[in-house]
Amino acid sequence: MKTVAIIMGSTSDLPVMQGAIDILKSFEIPVEVDIVSAHRTPEKLMEYGKSAVNRNIGVIIAGAGGAAHLPGMIASVTALPVIGVPVKSSNSIDGWDSVLSILQMPSGVPVATVALDGAKNAGILAAQILGATQADIRKKVEDYKEQLKQKVIEGAKSLK
């Protein structure tokens, strides 16, 4: 089974990124977590991205706040799918700088982008990407979505 790499620019991003870690673990998908700063450890970033496929990584989730260069930079050095999580950080402009930095990638360097602080959705999207070719993961995602549906139905019943 492929592993999902979850990287972030600093430990301050971990509370947000924990959502991706938790949902992937609930799907029993192996997770590799690391701190990789685009600005403070650029050599590590390059090596991490270039070697990811050799470490059995299937998808990379990259969370970043502020200028949020990490997702795009990691996408520039790997052919693996990258999901960007904009993080509303203490140095951000209400999170908009992070959202726009990750959304506005140049042609040829795509990064799938989830909502501000949307790490849980990034984890689900990573599971769906892996599930496209792995039936056991696809089944877990289908079951999860069925549980969401049942929650809504039960909630609606409580209104009547």
Side-chain angles (χ1 to χ4, degrees), residues 53-130:
V53 72
N54 296 327
R55 294 192 323 276
N56 199 40
I57 303 298
V59 178
I60 299 172
I61 299 173
H69 291 121
L70 179 60
M73 288 302 297
I74 205 78
S76 75
V77 296
T78 184
L80 294 173
V82 175
I83 303 168
V85 179
V87 175
K88 185 177 180 182
S89 60
S90 61
N91 68 336
S92 90
I93 305 166
D94 208 28
W96 280 107
D97 48 346
S98 305
V99 171
L100 295 174
S101 292
I102 299 172
L103 279 176
Q104 299 292 16
M105 292 302 301
S107 179
V109 188
V111 173
T113 309
V114 296
L116 184 65
D117 291 345
K120 182 176 181 180
N121 271 355
I124 295 166
L125 181 56
Q128 289 177 278
I129 290 168
L130 295 178

